[in-house]
Structures are given as structure tokens and as C-alpha cells.
Amino acid sequence: MSLSDTASAPSRAGAARALEDLRWHREFHRQSQFRWWDTEAALVATEFTRGQDHFQTVHDLAHLERQRLALADYTSTCQRALGHALKQSQRLLDTRDWHFASDALLLSPRICEQSSYLATWADPYDPTALSNPQVQRIQRSCERMMFGSPLILSWELSHLWSLYRAAETLLEDTLVDLTIELSEAVPNAALLWATQMASTSGLRRRISDQRSSRGEPGDPRRRPCQSYTLQR
């Protein structure tokens, strides 16, 4: 056995132990400790709209977009925190690719790359760039675990991120619905102002993208749920 083989043996053992700890964690918690239900995404959304859940006017539309952007920033912070934990998991497993995440974390390599990139370029002088109260809550919980690891933290943060993504998507659904409703009586210029879009063609594309992925009101795709299956 060479010196390199001797050095790599402990790292392989540590990686196998970390993956086994994650498997046990998922079994013990029936998948994840951080659980959320479909109503919680709506609660998060209304928290950002300051309790408003009925929208009718152009000014309501502008309010929706401002709060959606604020929620998108919060969601990005959750993803950057996830990316930071994923990079720590890579080092723990002594690997440079993301293939481990497909089975272990149910995250696609593309999602891992995006999250890692966001974490890498986070503002080092902004304390909110990689953290917020919800991220801190999960970090504290994982720190108290006897077998806590970056892998388990990544797993839990991925579900926090999924909740805030679901809430952000609900606001986008509502914004598009209201834009279509107002378009019959409101000038395009007012709609562009309210939605902060630069052109009518861009707004049409935004509406088309939402309708193709989420459908109209009542579409079952609009019901948020916590998922444990890989999204491709």
C-alpha cells in the first residue's frame, strides 16, 4: 500500500460514515426534520405581503411585485446557505463533482452547481448574504445533533429553500393572474410600471412561462407540497 492509499483510507471511511449518518437521519425523521405543509407556503407569502391576500388594482399589482422581489431575496439567501453547506459536503466526501447529491440529497447536480455558485459569490461584508433567522434556526438544530454533518445540514436546508421557493411561486401566480385580469382595462404602460418589466414582449413571455409551468387558477400544479423526489 502506498502513502497516498494510506492517507485516503480515513477519508473514505469518514465519507461512508457521513452518508450512513444521513441515511439514519432520514429514516429517523421519516425523511426530514424540517417539515412543512401546503398552507405554510401561503402563510409565508402573506407574511411578505403584510397580510394582504386580495388584490384588485394596479397599485395592488405593484405592491405584489415589490413583495415578491423581497421574498425572492430571502429565498436566495436560503439557497446560498444551502450552497455553502453543499461545498462543505463536497470536502467531507472528498469529491469534486455533485453526483453524490442525486441519491443522498435528492438534488440534481445542476441545482448544486447553481447553489454553490451563489454561495461562492456572496457578499462577504453582508451578514445577511448567507444567513437569515430561518437558516440560523436549522443550523442551531443541526449543531445540537450528535451526528450532525454538512450533509445533514444540506438536506435540511434544501427543504427550507423549497418552502420559500413555493411561497415565491404563489406570489408569481397571483401577479400573473391579476395582470391578465387588469389587461382588459388598464394601459400596457401601467402594467409595465407595476410589474417592473421593460417591455410588453417581456411581460407576455413572463405570463406565458407562468401559464406553461403552473397553469390557470385551480390547476393542481399550483398546490405547494414538500417533495422528496428528484426534480429534473
PDB file of all heavy atoms in Angstrom, residues 58-94:
ATOM      1  N   VAL A  58     -54.038  48.278  -9.948  1.00  0.00           N
ATOM      2  CA  VAL A  58     -52.667  48.393 -10.428  1.00  0.00           C
ATOM      3  C   VAL A  58     -51.712  48.618  -9.261  1.00  0.00           C
ATOM      4  O   VAL A  58     -50.603  48.082  -9.248  1.00  0.00           O
ATOM      5  CB  VAL A  58     -52.555  49.543 -11.453  1.00  0.00           C
ATOM      6  CG1 VAL A  58     -51.097  49.823 -11.779  1.00  0.00           C
ATOM      7  CG2 VAL A  58     -53.319  49.189 -12.722  1.00  0.00           C
ATOM      8  N   HIS A  59     -52.152  49.390  -8.272  1.00  0.00           N
ATOM      9  CA  HIS A  59     -51.289  49.610  -7.106  1.00  0.00           C
ATOM     10  C   HIS A  59     -51.119  48.306  -6.309  1.00  0.00           C
ATOM     11  O   HIS A  59     -50.047  48.062  -5.748  1.00  0.00           O
ATOM     12  CB  HIS A  59     -51.873  50.716  -6.230  1.00  0.00           C
ATOM     13  CG  HIS A  59     -51.695  52.079  -6.830  1.00  0.00           C
ATOM     14  ND1 HIS A  59     -50.481  52.730  -6.837  1.00  0.00           N
ATOM     15  CD2 HIS A  59     -52.569  52.894  -7.483  1.00  0.00           C
ATOM     16  CE1 HIS A  59     -50.609  53.895  -7.448  1.00  0.00           C
ATOM     17  NE2 HIS A  59     -51.862  54.029  -7.846  1.00  0.00           N
ATOM     18  N   ASP A  60     -52.150  47.484  -6.273  1.00  0.00           N
ATOM     19  CA  ASP A  60     -52.005  46.155  -5.664  1.00  0.00           C
ATOM     20  C   ASP A  60     -50.974  45.333  -6.434  1.00  0.00           C
ATOM     21  O   ASP A  60     -50.165  44.607  -5.839  1.00  0.00           O
ATOM     22  CB  ASP A  60     -53.339  45.408  -5.668  1.00  0.00           C
ATOM     23  CG  ASP A  60     -54.330  45.961  -4.662  1.00  0.00           C
ATOM     24  OD1 ASP A  60     -53.898  46.639  -3.714  1.00  0.00           O
ATOM     25  OD2 ASP A  60     -55.539  45.700  -4.831  1.00  0.00           O
ATOM     26  N   LEU A  61     -51.008  45.451  -7.762  1.00  0.00           N
ATOM     27  CA  LEU A  61     -50.065  44.719  -8.605  1.00  0.00           C
ATOM     28  C   LEU A  61     -48.628  45.169  -8.325  1.00  0.00           C
ATOM     29  O   LEU A  61     -47.708  44.330  -8.216  1.00  0.00           O
ATOM     30  CB  LEU A  61     -50.416  44.937 -10.079  1.00  0.00           C
ATOM     31  CG  LEU A  61     -49.622  44.142 -11.122  1.00  0.00           C
ATOM     32  CD1 LEU A  61     -49.856  42.650 -10.955  1.00  0.00           C
ATOM     33  CD2 LEU A  61     -50.004  44.589 -12.541  1.00  0.00           C
ATOM     34  N   ALA A  62     -48.432  46.476  -8.189  1.00  0.00           N
ATOM     35  CA  ALA A  62     -47.100  46.994  -7.880  1.00  0.00           C
ATOM     36  C   ALA A  62     -46.638  46.521  -6.502  1.00  0.00           C
ATOM     37  O   ALA A  62     -45.465  46.171  -6.305  1.00  0.00           O
ATOM     38  CB  ALA A  62     -47.113  48.523  -7.947  1.00  0.00           C
ATOM     39  N   HIS A  63     -47.562  46.494  -5.549  1.00  0.00           N
ATOM     40  CA  HIS A  63     -47.244  46.004  -4.205  1.00  0.00           C
ATOM     41  C   HIS A  63     -46.846  44.526  -4.260  1.00  0.00           C
ATOM     42  O   HIS A  63     -45.870  44.111  -3.623  1.00  0.00           O
ATOM     43  CB  HIS A  63     -48.458  46.192  -3.299  1.00  0.00           C
ATOM     44  CG  HIS A  63     -48.320  45.577  -1.934  1.00  0.00           C
ATOM     45  ND1 HIS A  63     -47.421  46.032  -1.001  1.00  0.00           N
ATOM     46  CD2 HIS A  63     -48.966  44.527  -1.354  1.00  0.00           C
ATOM     47  CE1 HIS A  63     -47.508  45.300   0.105  1.00  0.00           C
ATOM     48  NE2 HIS A  63     -48.440  44.373  -0.093  1.00  0.00           N
ATOM     49  N   LEU A  64     -47.570  43.758  -5.059  1.00  0.00           N
ATOM     50  CA  LEU A  64     -47.268  42.334  -5.213  1.00  0.00           C
ATOM     51  C   LEU A  64     -45.843  42.130  -5.733  1.00  0.00           C
ATOM     52  O   LEU A  64     -45.100  41.289  -5.222  1.00  0.00           O
ATOM     53  CB  LEU A  64     -48.258  41.701  -6.195  1.00  0.00           C
ATOM     54  CG  LEU A  64     -49.396  40.867  -5.652  1.00  0.00           C
ATOM     55  CD1 LEU A  64     -50.291  40.400  -6.800  1.00  0.00           C
ATOM     56  CD2 LEU A  64     -48.873  39.654  -4.888  1.00  0.00           C
ATOM     57  N   GLU A  65     -45.474  42.908  -6.756  1.00  0.00           N
ATOM     58  CA  GLU A  65     -44.148  42.720  -7.340  1.00  0.00           C
ATOM     59  C   GLU A  65     -43.055  43.131  -6.365  1.00  0.00           C
ATOM     60  O   GLU A  65     -42.022  42.453  -6.266  1.00  0.00           O
ATOM     61  CB  GLU A  65     -44.036  43.505  -8.650  1.00  0.00           C
ATOM     62  CG  GLU A  65     -42.667  43.421  -9.327  1.00  0.00           C
ATOM     63  CD  GLU A  65     -42.271  42.017  -9.756  1.00  0.00           C
ATOM     64  OE1 GLU A  65     -42.966  41.032  -9.418  1.00  0.00           O
ATOM     65  OE2 GLU A  65     -41.238  41.881 -10.436  1.00  0.00           O
ATOM     66  N   ARG A  66     -43.252  44.210  -5.637  1.00  0.00           N
ATOM     67  CA  ARG A  66     -42.232  44.621  -4.660  1.00  0.00           C
ATOM     68  C   ARG A  66     -42.025  43.550  -3.594  1.00  0.00           C
ATOM     69  O   ARG A  66     -40.889  43.216  -3.237  1.00  0.00           O
ATOM     70  CB  ARG A  66     -42.634  45.949  -4.003  1.00  0.00           C
ATOM     71  CG  ARG A  66     -42.506  47.173  -4.893  1.00  0.00           C
ATOM     72  CD  ARG A  66     -42.618  48.442  -4.079  1.00  0.00           C
ATOM     73  NE  ARG A  66     -43.905  48.568  -3.407  1.00  0.00           N
ATOM     74  CZ  ARG A  66     -44.983  49.147  -3.941  1.00  0.00           C
ATOM     75  NH1 ARG A  66     -44.914  49.645  -5.176  1.00  0.00           N
ATOM     76  NH2 ARG A  66     -46.104  49.229  -3.261  1.00  0.00           N
ATOM     77  N   GLN A  67     -43.122  42.999  -3.115  1.00  0.00           N
ATOM     78  CA  GLN A  67     -43.011  41.986  -2.066  1.00  0.00           C
ATOM     79  C   GLN A  67     -42.504  40.654  -2.611  1.00  0.00           C
ATOM     80  O   GLN A  67     -41.815  39.911  -1.913  1.00  0.00           O
ATOM     81  CB  GLN A  67     -44.350  41.818  -1.349  1.00  0.00           C
ATOM     82  CG  GLN A  67     -44.873  43.098  -0.718  1.00  0.00           C
ATOM     83  CD  GLN A  67     -43.792  43.840   0.065  1.00  0.00           C
ATOM     84  OE1 GLN A  67     -43.066  43.251   0.850  1.00  0.00           O
ATOM     85  NE2 GLN A  67     -43.679  45.146  -0.161  1.00  0.00           N
ATOM     86  N   ARG A  68     -42.841  40.353  -3.874  1.00  0.00           N
ATOM     87  CA  ARG A  68     -42.295  39.133  -4.490  1.00  0.00           C
ATOM     88  C   ARG A  68     -40.780  39.242  -4.605  1.00  0.00           C
ATOM     89  O   ARG A  68     -40.053  38.273  -4.354  1.00  0.00           O
ATOM     90  CB  ARG A  68     -42.910  38.917  -5.875  1.00  0.00           C
ATOM     91  CG  ARG A  68     -42.527  37.563  -6.497  1.00  0.00           C
ATOM     92  CD  ARG A  68     -42.723  37.563  -7.994  1.00  0.00           C
ATOM     93  NE  ARG A  68     -41.844  38.505  -8.662  1.00  0.00           N
ATOM     94  CZ  ARG A  68     -40.552  38.271  -8.919  1.00  0.00           C
ATOM     95  NH1 ARG A  68     -39.981  37.138  -8.563  1.00  0.00           N
ATOM     96  NH2 ARG A  68     -39.828  39.181  -9.545  1.00  0.00           N
ATOM     97  N   LEU A  69     -40.291  40.417  -4.964  1.00  0.00           N
ATOM     98  CA  LEU A  69     -38.854  40.619  -5.068  1.00  0.00           C
ATOM     99  C   LEU A  69     -38.181  40.497  -3.700  1.00  0.00           C
ATOM    100  O   LEU A  69     -37.079  39.932  -3.587  1.00  0.00           O
ATOM    101  CB  LEU A  69     -38.553  41.989  -5.692  1.00  0.00           C
ATOM    102  CG  LEU A  69     -38.879  42.119  -7.182  1.00  0.00           C
ATOM    103  CD1 LEU A  69     -38.767  43.576  -7.628  1.00  0.00           C
ATOM    104  CD2 LEU A  69     -37.976  41.230  -8.024  1.00  0.00           C
ATOM    105  N   ALA A  70     -38.834  41.010  -2.660  1.00  0.00           N
ATOM    106  CA  ALA A  70     -38.289  40.872  -1.303  1.00  0.00           C
ATOM    107  C   ALA A  70     -38.241  39.406  -0.897  1.00  0.00           C
ATOM    108  O   ALA A  70     -37.257  38.937  -0.301  1.00  0.00           O
ATOM    109  CB  ALA A  70     -39.133  41.678  -0.318  1.00  0.00           C
ATOM    110  N   LEU A  71     -39.298  38.671  -1.231  1.00  0.00           N
ATOM    111  CA  LEU A  71     -39.327  37.242  -0.933  1.00  0.00           C
ATOM    112  C   LEU A  71     -38.271  36.496  -1.750  1.00  0.00           C
ATOM    113  O   LEU A  71     -37.627  35.562  -1.254  1.00  0.00           O
ATOM    114  CB  LEU A  71     -40.722  36.688  -1.206  1.00  0.00           C
ATOM    115  CG  LEU A  71     -40.935  35.179  -1.019  1.00  0.00           C
ATOM    116  CD1 LEU A  71     -40.450  34.709   0.346  1.00  0.00           C
ATOM    117  CD2 LEU A  71     -42.416  34.833  -1.208  1.00  0.00           C
ATOM    118  N   ALA A  72     -38.076  36.916  -2.999  1.00  0.00           N
ATOM    119  CA  ALA A  72     -37.045  36.280  -3.836  1.00  0.00           C
ATOM    120  C   ALA A  72     -35.666  36.473  -3.236  1.00  0.00           C
ATOM    121  O   ALA A  72     -34.827  35.559  -3.273  1.00  0.00           O
ATOM    122  CB  ALA A  72     -37.097  36.862  -5.252  1.00  0.00           C
ATOM    123  N   ASP A  73     -35.395  37.642  -2.661  1.00  0.00           N
ATOM    124  CA  ASP A  73     -34.105  37.875  -1.998  1.00  0.00           C
ATOM    125  C   ASP A  73     -33.936  36.940  -0.807  1.00  0.00           C
ATOM    126  O   ASP A  73     -32.857  36.377  -0.585  1.00  0.00           O
ATOM    127  CB  ASP A  73     -34.008  39.334  -1.528  1.00  0.00           C
ATOM    128  CG  ASP A  73     -33.749  40.300  -2.669  1.00  0.00           C
ATOM    129  OD1 ASP A  73     -33.319  39.845  -3.748  1.00  0.00           O
ATOM    130  OD2 ASP A  73     -33.980  41.509  -2.477  1.00  0.00           O
ATOM    131  N   TYR A  74     -35.000  36.769  -0.023  1.00  0.00           N
ATOM    132  CA  TYR A  74     -34.946  35.892   1.143  1.00  0.00           C
ATOM    133  C   TYR A  74     -34.726  34.444   0.702  1.00  0.00           C
ATOM    134  O   TYR A  74     -33.941  33.707   1.306  1.00  0.00           O
ATOM    135  CB  TYR A  74     -36.247  36.014   1.929  1.00  0.00           C
ATOM    136  CG  TYR A  74     -36.145  35.597   3.383  1.00  0.00           C
ATOM    137  CD1 TYR A  74     -35.897  36.539   4.367  1.00  0.00           C
ATOM    138  CD2 TYR A  74     -36.322  34.277   3.759  1.00  0.00           C
ATOM    139  CE1 TYR A  74     -35.814  36.171   5.709  1.00  0.00           C
ATOM    140  CE2 TYR A  74     -36.233  33.895   5.087  1.00  0.00           C
ATOM    141  CZ  TYR A  74     -35.979  34.850   6.063  1.00  0.00           C
ATOM    142  OH  TYR A  74     -35.895  34.467   7.378  1.00  0.00           O
ATOM    143  N   THR A  75     -35.413  34.056  -0.366  1.00  0.00           N
ATOM    144  CA  THR A  75     -35.265  32.711  -0.912  1.00  0.00           C
ATOM    145  C   THR A  75     -33.841  32.478  -1.402  1.00  0.00           C
ATOM    146  O   THR A  75     -33.259  31.396  -1.192  1.00  0.00           O
ATOM    147  CB  THR A  75     -36.254  32.495  -2.069  1.00  0.00           C
ATOM    148  OG1 THR A  75     -37.586  32.744  -1.611  1.00  0.00           O
ATOM    149  CG2 THR A  75     -36.181  31.078  -2.616  1.00  0.00           C
ATOM    150  N   SER A  76     -33.240  33.490  -2.028  1.00  0.00           N
ATOM    151  CA  SER A  76     -31.861  33.367  -2.499  1.00  0.00           C
ATOM    152  C   SER A  76     -30.892  33.179  -1.340  1.00  0.00           C
ATOM    153  O   SER A  76     -29.901  32.442  -1.455  1.00  0.00           O
ATOM    154  CB  SER A  76     -31.465  34.613  -3.306  1.00  0.00           C
ATOM    155  OG  SER A  76     -32.210  34.689  -4.500  1.00  0.00           O
ATOM    156  N   THR A  77     -31.166  33.838  -0.217  1.00  0.00           N
ATOM    157  CA  THR A  77     -30.317  33.651   0.955  1.00  0.00           C
ATOM    158  C   THR A  77     -30.369  32.201   1.424  1.00  0.00           C
ATOM    159  O   THR A  77     -29.345  31.611   1.779  1.00  0.00           O
ATOM    160  CB  THR A  77     -30.751  34.587   2.093  1.00  0.00           C
ATOM    161  OG1 THR A  77     -30.622  35.937   1.666  1.00  0.00           O
ATOM    162  CG2 THR A  77     -29.900  34.376   3.341  1.00  0.00           C
ATOM    163  N   CYS A  78     -31.569  31.611   1.415  1.00  0.00           N
ATOM    164  CA  CYS A  78     -31.697  30.190   1.783  1.00  0.00           C
ATOM    165  C   CYS A  78     -30.902  29.316   0.824  1.00  0.00           C
ATOM    166  O   CYS A  78     -30.245  28.352   1.249  1.00  0.00           O
ATOM    167  CB  CYS A  78     -33.171  29.777   1.776  1.00  0.00           C
ATOM    168  SG  CYS A  78     -34.207  30.619   3.005  1.00  0.00           S
ATOM    169  N   GLN A  79     -30.941  29.651  -0.465  1.00  0.00           N
ATOM    170  CA  GLN A  79     -30.196  28.844  -1.436  1.00  0.00           C
ATOM    171  C   GLN A  79     -28.685  29.031  -1.279  1.00  0.00           C
ATOM    172  O   GLN A  79     -27.920  28.073  -1.428  1.00  0.00           O
ATOM    173  CB  GLN A  79     -30.614  29.187  -2.869  1.00  0.00           C
ATOM    174  CG  GLN A  79     -29.989  28.251  -3.893  1.00  0.00           C
ATOM    175  CD  GLN A  79     -30.441  28.513  -5.309  1.00  0.00           C
ATOM    176  OE1 GLN A  79     -31.088  29.532  -5.601  1.00  0.00           O
ATOM    177  NE2 GLN A  79     -30.102  27.616  -6.219  1.00  0.00           N
ATOM    178  N   ARG A  80     -28.249  30.244  -0.977  1.00  0.00           N
ATOM    179  CA  ARG A  80     -26.808  30.451  -0.760  1.00  0.00           C
ATOM    180  C   ARG A  80     -26.325  29.679   0.468  1.00  0.00           C
ATOM    181  O   ARG A  80     -25.232  29.110   0.458  1.00  0.00           O
ATOM    182  CB  ARG A  80     -26.507  31.943  -0.609  1.00  0.00           C
ATOM    183  CG  ARG A  80     -26.484  32.712  -1.924  1.00  0.00           C
ATOM    184  CD  ARG A  80     -25.882  34.080  -1.749  1.00  0.00           C
ATOM    185  NE  ARG A  80     -26.717  34.947  -0.932  1.00  0.00           N
ATOM    186  CZ  ARG A  80     -27.676  35.734  -1.402  1.00  0.00           C
ATOM    187  NH1 ARG A  80     -27.905  35.767  -2.712  1.00  0.00           N
ATOM    188  NH2 ARG A  80     -28.384  36.500  -0.597  1.00  0.00           N
ATOM    189  N   ALA A  81     -27.143  29.676   1.536  1.00  0.00           N
ATOM    190  CA  ALA A  81     -26.776  28.897   2.724  1.00  0.00           C
ATOM    191  C   ALA A  81     -26.689  27.418   2.378  1.00  0.00           C
ATOM    192  O   ALA A  81     -25.784  26.700   2.836  1.00  0.00           O
ATOM    193  CB  ALA A  81     -27.796  29.125   3.834  1.00  0.00           C
ATOM    194  N   LEU A  82     -27.633  26.948   1.555  1.00  0.00           N
ATOM    195  CA  LEU A  82     -27.582  25.566   1.076  1.00  0.00           C
ATOM    196  C   LEU A  82     -26.307  25.326   0.284  1.00  0.00           C
ATOM    197  O   LEU A  82     -25.625  24.308   0.467  1.00  0.00           O
ATOM    198  CB  LEU A  82     -28.817  25.277   0.216  1.00  0.00           C
ATOM    199  CG  LEU A  82     -28.798  23.970  -0.590  1.00  0.00           C
ATOM    200  CD1 LEU A  82     -28.717  22.761   0.338  1.00  0.00           C
ATOM    201  CD2 LEU A  82     -30.045  23.885  -1.482  1.00  0.00           C
ATOM    202  N   GLY A  83     -25.970  26.257  -0.602  1.00  0.00           N
ATOM    203  CA  GLY A  83     -24.759  26.110  -1.405  1.00  0.00           C
ATOM    204  C   GLY A  83     -23.504  26.034  -0.559  1.00  0.00           C
ATOM    205  O   GLY A  83     -22.586  25.261  -0.854  1.00  0.00           O
ATOM    206  N   HIS A  84     -23.454  26.825   0.499  1.00  0.00           N
ATOM    207  CA  HIS A  84     -22.300  26.794   1.402  1.00  0.00           C
ATOM    208  C   HIS A  84     -22.192  25.422   2.072  1.00  0.00           C
ATOM    209  O   HIS A  84     -21.092  24.851   2.163  1.00  0.00           O
ATOM    210  CB  HIS A  84     -22.456  27.890   2.452  1.00  0.00           C
ATOM    211  CG  HIS A  84     -21.283  28.022   3.365  1.00  0.00           C
ATOM    212  ND1 HIS A  84     -20.038  28.453   2.939  1.00  0.00           N
ATOM    213  CD2 HIS A  84     -21.151  27.779   4.694  1.00  0.00           C
ATOM    214  CE1 HIS A  84     -19.197  28.466   3.956  1.00  0.00           C
ATOM    215  NE2 HIS A  84     -19.841  28.059   5.035  1.00  0.00           N
ATOM    216  N   ALA A  85     -23.316  24.884   2.539  1.00  0.00           N
ATOM    217  CA  ALA A  85     -23.313  23.556   3.169  1.00  0.00           C
ATOM    218  C   ALA A  85     -22.950  22.475   2.154  1.00  0.00           C
ATOM    219  O   ALA A  85     -22.265  21.495   2.482  1.00  0.00           O
ATOM    220  CB  ALA A  85     -24.679  23.268   3.789  1.00  0.00           C
ATOM    221  N   LEU A  86     -23.396  22.628   0.909  1.00  0.00           N
ATOM    222  CA  LEU A  86     -23.065  21.654  -0.129  1.00  0.00           C
ATOM    223  C   LEU A  86     -21.565  21.634  -0.415  1.00  0.00           C
ATOM    224  O   LEU A  86     -20.969  20.569  -0.614  1.00  0.00           O
ATOM    225  CB  LEU A  86     -23.839  21.978  -1.417  1.00  0.00           C
ATOM    226  CG  LEU A  86     -25.320  21.617  -1.419  1.00  0.00           C
ATOM    227  CD1 LEU A  86     -26.011  22.231  -2.629  1.00  0.00           C
ATOM    228  CD2 LEU A  86     -25.514  20.098  -1.415  1.00  0.00           C
ATOM    229  N   LYS A  87     -20.946  22.798  -0.430  1.00  0.00           N
ATOM    230  CA  LYS A  87     -19.497  22.838  -0.650  1.00  0.00           C
ATOM    231  C   LYS A  87     -18.751  22.168   0.500  1.00  0.00           C
ATOM    232  O   LYS A  87     -17.755  21.470   0.274  1.00  0.00           O
ATOM    233  CB  LYS A  87     -19.040  24.293  -0.813  1.00  0.00           C
ATOM    234  CG  LYS A  87     -19.519  24.932  -2.109  1.00  0.00           C
ATOM    235  CD  LYS A  87     -18.728  26.173  -2.459  1.00  0.00           C
ATOM    236  CE  LYS A  87     -18.924  27.265  -1.436  1.00  0.00           C
ATOM    237  NZ  LYS A  87     -18.123  28.479  -1.805  1.00  0.00           N
ATOM    238  N   GLN A  88     -19.246  22.343   1.732  1.00  0.00           N
ATOM    239  CA  GLN A  88     -18.653  21.644   2.869  1.00  0.00           C
ATOM    240  C   GLN A  88     -18.847  20.133   2.735  1.00  0.00           C
ATOM    241  O   GLN A  88     -17.954  19.349   3.089  1.00  0.00           O
ATOM    242  CB  GLN A  88     -19.287  22.137   4.160  1.00  0.00           C
ATOM    243  CG  GLN A  88     -18.933  23.571   4.523  1.00  0.00           C
ATOM    244  CD  GLN A  88     -19.623  24.020   5.788  1.00  0.00           C
ATOM    245  OE1 GLN A  88     -20.794  23.720   6.026  1.00  0.00           O
ATOM    246  NE2 GLN A  88     -18.906  24.756   6.632  1.00  0.00           N
ATOM    247  N   SER A  89     -20.007  19.729   2.206  1.00  0.00           N
ATOM    248  CA  SER A  89     -20.265  18.301   2.000  1.00  0.00           C
ATOM    249  C   SER A  89     -19.316  17.722   0.969  1.00  0.00           C
ATOM    250  O   SER A  89     -18.840  16.591   1.114  1.00  0.00           O
ATOM    251  CB  SER A  89     -21.725  18.094   1.548  1.00  0.00           C
ATOM    252  OG  SER A  89     -22.632  18.536   2.534  1.00  0.00           O
ATOM    253  N   GLN A  90     -19.043  18.479  -0.080  1.00  0.00           N
ATOM    254  CA  GLN A  90     -18.073  18.027  -1.083  1.00  0.00           C
ATOM    255  C   GLN A  90     -16.720  17.746  -0.449  1.00  0.00           C
ATOM    256  O   GLN A  90     -16.082  16.723  -0.724  1.00  0.00           O
ATOM    257  CB  GLN A  90     -17.906  19.105  -2.160  1.00  0.00           C
ATOM    258  CG  GLN A  90     -18.579  18.797  -3.465  1.00  0.00           C
ATOM    259  CD  GLN A  90     -18.156  19.772  -4.551  1.00  0.00           C
ATOM    260  OE1 GLN A  90     -17.654  20.862  -4.292  1.00  0.00           O
ATOM    261  NE2 GLN A  90     -18.391  19.397  -5.788  1.00  0.00           N
ATOM    262  N   ARG A  91     -16.267  18.667   0.402  1.00  0.00           N
ATOM    263  CA  ARG A  91     -14.963  18.479   1.056  1.00  0.00           C
ATOM    264  C   ARG A  91     -14.993  17.274   1.994  1.00  0.00           C
ATOM    265  O   ARG A  91     -14.027  16.506   2.061  1.00  0.00           O
ATOM    266  CB  ARG A  91     -14.580  19.751   1.814  1.00  0.00           C
ATOM    267  CG  ARG A  91     -14.226  20.918   0.906  1.00  0.00           C
ATOM    268  CD  ARG A  91     -13.560  22.041   1.668  1.00  0.00           C
ATOM    269  NE  ARG A  91     -14.483  22.727   2.540  1.00  0.00           N
ATOM    270  CZ  ARG A  91     -15.221  23.773   2.173  1.00  0.00           C
ATOM    271  NH1 ARG A  91     -15.148  24.235   0.924  1.00  0.00           N
ATOM    272  NH2 ARG A  91     -16.050  24.358   3.029  1.00  0.00           N
ATOM    273  N   LEU A  92     -16.121  17.113   2.700  1.00  0.00           N
ATOM    274  CA  LEU A  92     -16.252  15.980   3.608  1.00  0.00           C
ATOM    275  C   LEU A  92     -16.167  14.657   2.861  1.00  0.00           C
ATOM    276  O   LEU A  92     -15.540  13.690   3.328  1.00  0.00           O
ATOM    277  CB  LEU A  92     -17.586  16.072   4.360  1.00  0.00           C
ATOM    278  CG  LEU A  92     -17.950  14.909   5.293  1.00  0.00           C
ATOM    279  CD1 LEU A  92     -16.957  14.829   6.454  1.00  0.00           C
ATOM    280  CD2 LEU A  92     -19.372  15.085   5.818  1.00  0.00           C
ATOM    281  N   LEU A  93     -16.769  14.607   1.683  1.00  0.00           N
ATOM    282  CA  LEU A  93     -16.794  13.380   0.891  1.00  0.00           C
ATOM    283  C   LEU A  93     -15.583  13.260  -0.025  1.00  0.00           C
ATOM    284  O   LEU A  93     -15.463  12.269  -0.761  1.00  0.00           O
ATOM    285  CB  LEU A  93     -18.084  13.314   0.067  1.00  0.00           C
ATOM    286  CG  LEU A  93     -19.395  13.312   0.868  1.00  0.00           C
ATOM    287  CD1 LEU A  93     -20.590  13.264  -0.080  1.00  0.00           C
ATOM    288  CD2 LEU A  93     -19.440  12.135   1.841  1.00  0.00           C
ATOM    289  N   ASP A  94     -14.725  14.278  -0.010  1.00  0.00           N
ATOM    290  CA  ASP A  94     -13.503  14.272  -0.812  1.00  0.00           C
ATOM    291  C   ASP A  94     -13.816  14.030  -2.290  1.00  0.00           C
ATOM    292  O   ASP A  94     -13.272  13.128  -2.936  1.00  0.00           O
ATOM    293  CB  ASP A  94     -12.533  13.210  -0.294  1.00  0.00           C
ATOM    294  CG  ASP A  94     -11.131  13.373  -0.883  1.00  0.00           C
ATOM    295  OD1 ASP A  94     -10.809  14.504  -1.298  1.00  0.00           O
ATOM    296  OD2 ASP A  94     -10.388  12.379  -0.942  1.00  0.00           O
TER     297      ASP A  94
END
